[in-house]
Amino acid sequence: MRVLVTGGAGFIGTAVVEAALSKGWEVRVLDSLDPQVHPRPPRLDSRVELIVGNTADPAAVRGALDGIDAVCHHSAKVGLGVNFADAPDYVWNNDFATAVLLAAMEQAGIGKLVLASSMVVYGEGAYRDPGTGKPVHPGPRRVADLEAGMFDPRNPDTAEPLVPALVTESSALDPRNVYAASKVSQENLASAWARATGGEAIALRYHNVYGPLMPKNTPYAGVASIFRSAIARGEAPLVYEDGNQRRSFIHVTDVASANICALAALHSGYGRSFGAYNVGADAPQTIGDVARALSTFSAAPAPVVTGKFRLGDVRHITASSELLKEELHWCPLVGFDEGMREFALAPLRGDEE
């Protein structure tokens, strides 16, 4: 199989490329090599054909698709951004670029797509009422509660704090920032493309991905990278809220293996136009757990819990990945302690020798 990986020189894209090569597949990468993301030239395997170009450029995309069997779409602007002024960049790099790619795939007769989506499409995670056990979908957290140190969402009817539960793929989509809105749009575009063209698309909703060569020192990076960057500067990780925010941290090699499972399913006959799957760890961890693990494994200063908060952040979002395991035969292999021990000592992107 010949696979095009857009954004294949990036953090997750590189891991997907390596996993695809290990299967004996031919790999082509389309990447803009934006210097803000790639402070140094990427080190790609010599077997990889690299095309430098933007996925929003129709000419670059048409050239990259020549002779390709399936596309793994990872090029995107990621993270929550700094403020709403980032919105045009998100729409251009995520929504418009995806539309360009899908239109070119139709013209090229390519009907197999794996899309890198995100947990952010859900907004707040799943919750249950502590008394009745019934599911409750909370609205945005109130500023007054956050300022008072009341971080857990409340039941809108009783004002009681809610209990977090696992998000499944049937959970309602509730994007609460520009990045989230762009990922929902990408999924909708992929679904519409599949129905219109007879193609097949799989969206993988990544939860908190971490691992070696994450980007460093950027407001667009994930929390694990922010903590790791602080430790590299000799500083204590600064933990927002009370540190008890729950997440499904997943190692980048396990994310790459999910992409391989999705590509293999498409290659062998997926049988439906569109499917979405959570990609998260088996056991939830807290933000504080990550900060403490990284500090411990790197012999760094202990984390500082600040009590600060950011409007737009969600409190708890933890995944059930049972559907991915059942339908695409995926299994995560890297445990939390093993992965964090490696990540604590591994270089970040830009620090490679």
Side-chain angles (χ1 to χ4, degrees):
M1 180 160 56
R2 300 193 69 193
V3 180
L4 172 66
V5 182
T6 69
F11 166 50
I12 298 176
T14 299
V16 172
V17 167
E18 292 175 355
L21 290 172
S22 72
K23 296 287 290 185
W25 298 343
E26 296 180 49
V27 180
R28 179 181 294 154
V29 165
L30 173 64
D31 199 296
S32 66
L33 300 187
D34 184 338
Q36 293 186 3
V37 181
H38 304 279
R40 298 183 182 182
R43 295 180 178 178
L44 293 175
D45 190 288
S46 60
R47 292 170 290 176
V48 174
E49 179 187 357
L50 172 63
I51 295 178
V52 179
N54 196 302
T55 313
D57 177 4
V61 172
R62 285 194 298 269
L65 289 173
D66 184 41
I68 291 297
D69 299 311
V71 175
C72 202
H73 184 31
H74 279 80
S75 65
K77 185 179 180 72
V78 301
L80 296 182
V82 176
N83 52 49
F84 203 82
D86 284 328
D89 272 349
Y90 277 107
V91 172
W92 175 264
N93 286 288
N94 298 359
D95 304 344
F96 179 75
T98 298
V100 169
L101 173 66
L102 294 173
M105 287 177 65
E106 179 183 21
Q107 293 174 351
I110 300 169
K112 302 182 187 305
L113 172 74
V114 177
L115 171 68
S117 188
S118 171
M119 68 177 188
V120 297
V121 300
Y122 297 114
E124 279 287 352
Y127 293 87
R128 296 188 181 278
D129 182 89
T132 66
K134 293 181 178 180
V136 178
H137 188 66
R141 294 181 291 171
R142 299 182 299 183
V143 174
D145 282 345
L146 296 171
E147 290 177 341
M150 173 60 205
F151 299 118
D152 286 318
R154 296 178 184 268
N155 187 321
D157 296 326
T158 66
E160 290 296 316
L162 296 170
V163 177
L166 296 180
V167 172
T168 66
E169 291 81 357
S170 62
S171 299
L173 303 188
D174 183 19
R176 298 191 177 187
N177 54 61
V178 173
Y179 173 57
S182 75
K183 300 311 285 186
V184 172
S185 178
Q186 282 185 299
E187 287 197 17
N188 288 338
L189 285 166
S191 178
W193 163 84
R195 288 195 302 269
T197 65
E200 296 177 333
I202 293 175
L204 298 176
R205 293 172 178 167
Y206 303 155
H207 284 247
N208 290 73
V209 187
Y210 73 95
L213 302 183
M214 285 190 81
K216 68 172 184 177
N217 298 330
T218 166
Y220 303 97
V223 67
S225 175
I226 292 171
F227 290 161
R228 179 67 179 74
S229 296
I231 289 171
R233 298 191 300 269
E235 303 169 3
L238 300 181
V239 180
Y240 276 29
E241 301 186 15
D242 58 3
N244 291 327
Q245 308 94 305
R246 288 160 50 102
R247 299 288 188 271
S248 295
F249 287 91
I250 184 75
H251 195 274
V252 67
T253 58
D254 285 330
V255 171
S257 72
N259 279 266
I260 297 305
C261 290
L263 286 166
L266 292 173
H267 185 63
S268 62
Y270 181 55
R272 69 184 78 165
S273 62
F274 179 80
Y277 299 89
N278 290 330
V279 185
D282 285 335
Q285 304 289 338
T286 68
I287 299 293
D289 290 337
V290 173
R292 287 187 290 271
L294 291 175
S295 290
T296 298
F297 292 135
S298 60
V304 175
V305 179
T306 67
K308 295 181 179 179
F309 61 88
R310 295 189 307 178
L311 291 176
D313 280 359
V314 298
R315 175 61 172 173
H316 304 296
I317 180 163
T318 52
S320 167
S321 300
E322 292 306 309
L323 189 65
L324 180 60
K325 295 175 183 178
E326 177 184 342
E327 294 193 356
L328 301 189
H329 313 296
W330 171 79
C331 181
L333 298 178
V334 182
F336 180 76
D337 284 347
E338 175 191 357
M340 286 295 162
R341 183 180 290 107
E342 175 202 34
F343 182 49
L345 303 175
L348 296 172
R349 187 166 293 271
D351 288 338
E352 310 97 306
E353 293 295 330

